[in-house]
Amino acid sequence: MPLYIAGPCSVETPGQLDQTVAALVNEGVKVIRGGVWKPRTRPNSFEGVGSKALPWIKEVKDKYKVKFAIEVASPIHVEEALKFGIDIFWIGARSTVNPFTVQEIANSLKGIDIPVLIKNPVNADLALWIGALERFHHAGIKKLGAIHRGFSNFNDKTYRNSPMWQIPLGLKTYFPEIPLLNDPSHICGRRDLIPQIAQTALDLNFDGLMIESHIDPDNAWSDAAQQLIPLDLGQLLRTLKTRKVDVDNPLLQSQLDLIREQIDDVDRELLEILSRRMSLVEKAGEYKKLNNVAVFQMERWKKVFETRPEWAEALRLNPDFARDLFQLIHTESIKKQTEVQERNEQPKIR
């Protein structure tokens, strides 16, 4: 059964919190989230009501018998939140990006038995995400989890933060034992997109979801467009489908094994083709070197970048996928030809 955490982007007033929690509990939510300290890109934005929200949280925890999760971004936040019995901490994307901040928070939690969830850094940097988890692990935190909230990408016209699913799945490969949650609210930035992303996360075997929900989202003090009313959240949770992790049908398993063997064969062919392409790239690099021609030529790259997505679409492949693939191939080709240019040309240093 997936873990569902829901609640307002920000704790605003005692009334707003009480009404939202009451409605969420009525929809079956048992773990509430709420922002107390809100790191913002620019000053003079709403940055949360701060410590005065903590007694309100304790009151609804006792009243509705729920657990509560908040973001902490400093040892002071940790100290104050623990006084009021906060059950779960999460580390926000802006904190994860800074190893100094992560280490300070991890140090402040040494010897404390509390679950800590680490959001991915703002930019697509798997190493930073892994490093943050490692810092808390080394500090003795045994109940660790990760939250995928998407990555900043100015080219993405659909989502507030691009999902880039390969990165959280890479994290899951690296830490298979650590629960991985998805935050569709921050990925989507719009409530109408949340069901699709939430279902995709469960299809990819995420362990749960953290979704923003507010009793009156249109008048929320922060992130109004991406919050669901509790009734809509409950309806969403009831319609989401969970998938089997293991195949218990021998016939189905044998069919999957056969298809996977065929995929393995195709992958070998793909690598052989890529190897041939890189050999041709290297050969072109030799000609460029002999004739003193620059490695990178804009007109050629523009032609490749324009035609390959078109070819892909004609083959019923996603043109965006082809564009990303050839960007990687192009980067490796430039690297290969640069190596050719520099061969035997570096001065010897005695």
Side-chain angles (χ1 to χ4, degrees):
M1 181 68 184
L3 170 65
Y4 297 131
I5 302 174
C9 173
S10 303
V11 177
E12 299 165 359
T13 66
Q16 169 253 5
L17 180 62
D18 185 272
Q19 291 176 53
T20 302
V21 173
L24 287 171
V25 168
N26 192 52
E27 298 298 333
V29 177
K30 298 177 181 178
V31 184
I32 308 297
R33 58 141 290 150
V36 173
W37 299 281
K38 302 292 296 180
R40 287 311 194 204
T41 303
R42 300 181 65 181
N44 303 319
S45 302
F46 173 63
E47 296 183 328
V49 299
S51 303
K52 71 178 183 180
L54 295 172
W56 310 340
I57 291 172
K58 187 176 188 310
E59 187 173 332
V60 296
K61 271 173 47 65
D62 294 341
K63 182 177 180 180
Y64 297 105
K65 310 302 180 190
V66 292
K67 294 187 180 298
F68 212 99
I70 69 168
E71 177 179 352
V72 291
S74 73
I76 294 174
H77 293 170
V78 169
E79 181 182 355
E80 294 189 23
L82 288 173
K83 291 176 186 176
F84 289 89
I86 298 299
D87 303 284
I88 301 167
F89 291 154
W90 82 78
I91 310 303
R94 290 177 174 84
S95 296
T96 306
V97 79
N98 187 335
F100 293 112
T101 299
V102 170
Q103 191 62 61
E104 286 178 358
I105 301 171
N107 290 342
S108 72
L109 283 168
K110 283 184 178 179
I112 297 171
D113 183 24
I114 189 168
V116 178
L117 307 174
I118 315 292
K119 285 197 173 186
N120 62 256
V122 174
N123 296 314
D125 190 331
L126 179 57
L128 270 177
W129 202 2
I130 291 171
L133 285 158
E134 289 174 336
R135 288 176 189 277
F136 280 94
H137 174 72
H138 293 157
I141 300 299
K142 294 181 172 57
K143 298 172 183 174
L144 271 176
I147 303 175
H148 167 230
R149 48 83 76 194
F151 303 90
S152 177
N153 177 8
F154 68 91
N155 288 318
D156 196 325
K157 308 303 182 190
T158 303
Y159 299 109
R160 177 179 177 182
N161 294 292
S162 296
M164 299 186 191
W165 297 104
Q166 72 277 13
I167 296 176
L169 294 179
L171 183 80
K172 192 68 172 175
T173 301
Y174 200 89
F175 292 122
E177 73 286 357
I178 288 181
L180 177 61
L181 308 182
N182 177 261
D183 177 351
S185 303
H186 280 89
I187 288 174
C188 296
R190 289 166 34 195
R191 61 180 66 95
D192 61 302
L193 298 175
I194 288 174
Q196 174 193 350
I197 290 295
Q199 185 60 65
T200 299
L202 295 183
D203 290 346
L204 292 171
N205 199 31
F206 277 62
D207 299 288
L209 303 169
M210 177 185 276
I211 303 179
E212 291 187 347
S213 178
H214 191 291
I215 196 67
D216 183 14
D218 289 338
N219 291 301
W221 295 1
S222 57
D223 289 349
Q226 67 191 38
Q227 301 191 67
L228 299 170
I229 62 170
L231 188 65
D232 288 345
L233 174 74
Q235 179 63 25
L236 170 62
L237 298 183
R238 287 187 288 274
T239 56
L240 289 172
K241 297 179 177 64
T242 56
R243 312 294 185 185
K244 294 179 181 178
V245 177
D246 300 310
V247 179
D248 51 13
N249 183 322
L251 178 59
L252 175 58
Q253 184 63 59
S254 67
Q255 291 172 332
L256 281 174
D257 288 342
L258 178 60
I259 294 170
R260 286 166 178 165
E261 287 176 10
Q262 294 171 337
I263 289 172
D264 290 344
D265 290 339
V266 172
D267 286 348
R268 290 190 192 95
E269 292 175 17
L270 280 172
L271 289 172
E272 289 170 3
I273 290 169
L274 283 171
S275 177
R276 294 210 312 268
R277 191 187 195 283
M278 287 304 161
S279 294
L280 292 169
V281 163
E282 191 167 2
K283 187 175 181 180
E286 295 285 0
Y287 277 103
K288 289 178 182 178
K289 181 179 179 179
L290 286 172
N291 292 279
N292 198 30
V293 175
V295 166
F296 178 70
Q297 287 155 333
M298 178 59 74
E299 289 305 313
R300 169 60 180 167
W301 169 234
K302 283 174 63 178
K303 181 178 179 181
V304 170
F305 201 64
E306 289 169 1
T307 57
R308 275 40 171 187
E310 293 174 359
W311 298 354
E313 196 163 20
L315 294 166
R316 300 176 64 187
L317 290 170
N318 185 337
D320 290 334
F321 164 71
R323 193 174 288 108
D324 291 343
L325 174 62
F326 276 91
Q327 180 69 62
L328 289 171
I329 291 173
H330 179 68
T331 300
E332 183 63 20
S333 300
I334 292 293
K335 179 182 176 184
K336 179 76 70 178
Q337 291 195 0
T338 300
E339 289 171 355
V340 170
Q341 291 274 10
E342 293 176 351
R343 249 179 237 159
N344 304 321
E345 289 190 359
Q346 296 296 329
K348 293 182 179 179
I349 300 175
R350 297 181 183 276

